[in-house]
Every structure is written in C-alpha cells, then in structure tokens.
Amino acid sequence: MAANRDLAFTLGIVCLVLIRGYSPLPTTSQLAETNSTRPLTPRGFMTETFEFPTEDYSQIEENPVTLPRNTASPYEKTPKRCDYNSCLDSQIPCAALATSTGCLCPGFTLHNKVPNTPTLKSVSWNGSEVVARWCAPHSYVTAYIVKVGGQERQRFRKDQRSGGLGDMDHNTEVCVVAVNDAGDSERSCLMYPPRDSSLPLTAGLIGGALGFLLLLLLAVLLWRHKKQRKQEASISMHDTAETE
C-alpha cells in the first residue's frame, strides 16, 4: 500500500512538471507591458468611448460677430453752454442757438407755467429820460411790463432788456414783471434814486471857474491892446521929432 502511494505522488509531480513546460506562467515584465497598454477600469463601470465634436471655424470666419461700437468716446468734447446773455437786448433765442450749434441752454420753464421773476438791474437818468434795465428769467416770456409807483408805465417786447420810462419823481418805486399766457411773474423792484443835492453846487463851481478864466483872458487881451497902442504912439512921436 505504501508503495502505491509513493508511486501516485511521483506521477502527480511529473504531470505538473510536464504541464508547466507546455504552458509557461507570465513573467513580471509581461504583466507590466500588458497593464501599460490597457487602462485600468474600476470594476462595476462600463468603458465607453467619447468623441468630442470639433468646432467648425469656417462658419465663424464667414459670419464674424460684429460687436456694437461705443458711440460715446471719452475723448469727444462735451457740448458747451450757449453764448447767450439774458441781460442784453435783441439776443437770439437760446433755443435757436442750440439748434444751430448744438450748445446747451439753461433750463427753461414751459409756456403753460408762470414765468420766473426777472431781475431789475438799474433805474437811472440817461440825460433825457429815466431808463430801466433788467435781465430775463429762464422762462417762456411773451412780454415785459414796467410799473412805476404801482401803475403800469410801459410794455416791452420779449427780446428787450431795457426801456425808457420818461420823466418821473425821485424816490419812486420802479418794478419789472415777466408775462406769458399763463400769467404774470413776481415783481422785481428798485427805487429811482433822488437827485444828488451836490450837483447844483458842483455846476455852480464849474461855471464860476469858467467865468473867472474868461474875465482873466479878457483882461490880458485888453492889457496887450493898451500896451500896443502906447508903443505905436511913442513911435509916432519919435518920428515927428526927427522930422522937425
């Protein structure tokens, strides 16, 4: 029995040796080559091949996208204020200046709003009559009314900034009002100043000085005339004496 077991063990070892000889086991280098060519994939996941779509750049070149251009360049000059003086007569309306030159006008109230108050600048005597001067408000105006002592004295056009009022007493209140279809503005008033009391004295002094100079001139002329007469008389007497 022992001999049979030994024989069977020996035959098994021989068979294993023969099988290994015909089917060699993979070496470590072969395993490394195999693993390097095939990516590792975790168990439980399916391997899929993804293809990334390529962009068709020819369409972009044929149909380029046009970006909106910024029309407001920081280097462009900002509009200037209109050359409009609200205190001068016969000014071109600021709206007309803005339309023709692109300038900026100050804000104006509309025609359906009562005008803002004008500014009465001066009331003075110009040698023949009293003249009032004012500045227009930033409003729609159709006319100006100047009142003297609370009563309407003169009505002026919308483009006028001064006007004659005739003669008036001193220390009289003079007011200007702006008018349009919506109504009248508030008043802007000044007192017509009293006549300067020193003016007659000054005029008298000037007249006296001129009179004195005129008298002095006449005296000098008279003295020269008399001196010339004496010289002529002496020459005549000398000639007579020589003749005798």
Side-chain angles (χ1 to χ4, degrees):
M1 294 295 292
N4 291 333
R5 286 199 299 270
D6 293 337
L7 180 59
F9 180 74
T10 302
L11 290 174
I13 293 174
V14 171
C15 291
L16 291 174
V17 172
L18 291 175
I19 292 171
R20 180 171 182 178
Y22 290 100
S23 300
L25 295 175
T27 63
T28 306
S29 60
Q30 292 175 347
L31 290 174
E33 292 177 359
T34 303
N35 293 334
S36 63
T37 57
R38 186 177 65 183
L40 297 177
T41 304
R43 293 182 180 180
F45 289 90
M46 296 180 64
T47 59
E48 296 181 359
T49 302
F50 295 96
E51 295 183 358
F52 294 93
T54 59
E55 299 288 344
D56 188 1
Y57 292 102
S58 62
Q59 296 180 357
I60 298 178
E61 295 178 356
E62 293 177 359
N63 300 312
V65 177
T66 303
L67 296 177
R69 186 174 63 181
N70 185 10
T71 57
S73 173
Y75 299 101
E76 293 181 358
K77 294 182 180 179
T78 55
K80 298 186 300 182
R81 296 185 62 180
C82 295
D83 185 14
Y84 175 77
N85 190 337
S86 61
C87 299
L88 294 181
D89 286 321
S90 303
Q91 284 279 289
I92 298 174
C94 194
L97 292 175
T99 302
S100 60
T101 64
C103 60
L104 295 178
C105 289
F108 281 77
T109 57
L110 299 178
H111 63 90
N112 57 352
K113 299 292 184 181
V114 174
N116 294 327
T117 306
T119 303
L120 185 60
K121 301 294 289 184
S122 65
V123 180
S124 59
W125 179 261
N126 72 342
S128 59
E129 63 178 342
V130 177
V131 176
R133 293 179 174 84
W134 62 89
C135 295
H138 297 316
S139 303
Y140 177 78
V141 178
T142 58
Y144 293 96
I145 296 175
V146 176
K147 298 181 178 182
V148 176
Q151 301 295 322
E152 180 176 337
R153 173 66 66 92
Q154 293 285 352
R155 183 180 289 261
F156 299 95
R157 301 189 312 270
K158 62 181 180 181
D159 62 337
Q160 289 185 268
R161 303 293 183 266
S162 63
L165 305 177
D167 196 4
M168 67 177 68
D169 296 332
H170 298 283
N171 291 323
T172 304
E173 184 183 52
V174 179
C175 301
V176 62
V177 176
V179 179
N180 66 12
D181 296 336
D184 299 352
S185 70
E186 296 292 330
R187 301 181 304 165
S188 176
C189 301
L190 289 175
M191 295 298 294
Y192 177 54
R195 190 185 300 272
D196 189 359
S197 59
S198 63
L199 184 60
L201 178 61
T202 303
L205 291 175
I206 294 174
L210 291 175
F212 175 76
L213 290 175
L214 181 59
L215 290 175
L216 182 61
L217 179 61
L218 291 174
V220 170
L221 292 175
L222 182 60
W223 174 77
R224 290 186 63 181
H225 179 69
K226 288 182 177 181
K227 183 178 181 181
Q228 186 176 4
R229 290 285 299 274
K230 286 182 179 180
Q231 289 178 352
E232 291 176 352
S234 63
I235 292 172
S236 178
M237 291 176 63
H238 180 71
D239 292 340
T240 304
E242 289 181 351
T243 303
E244 293 178 353

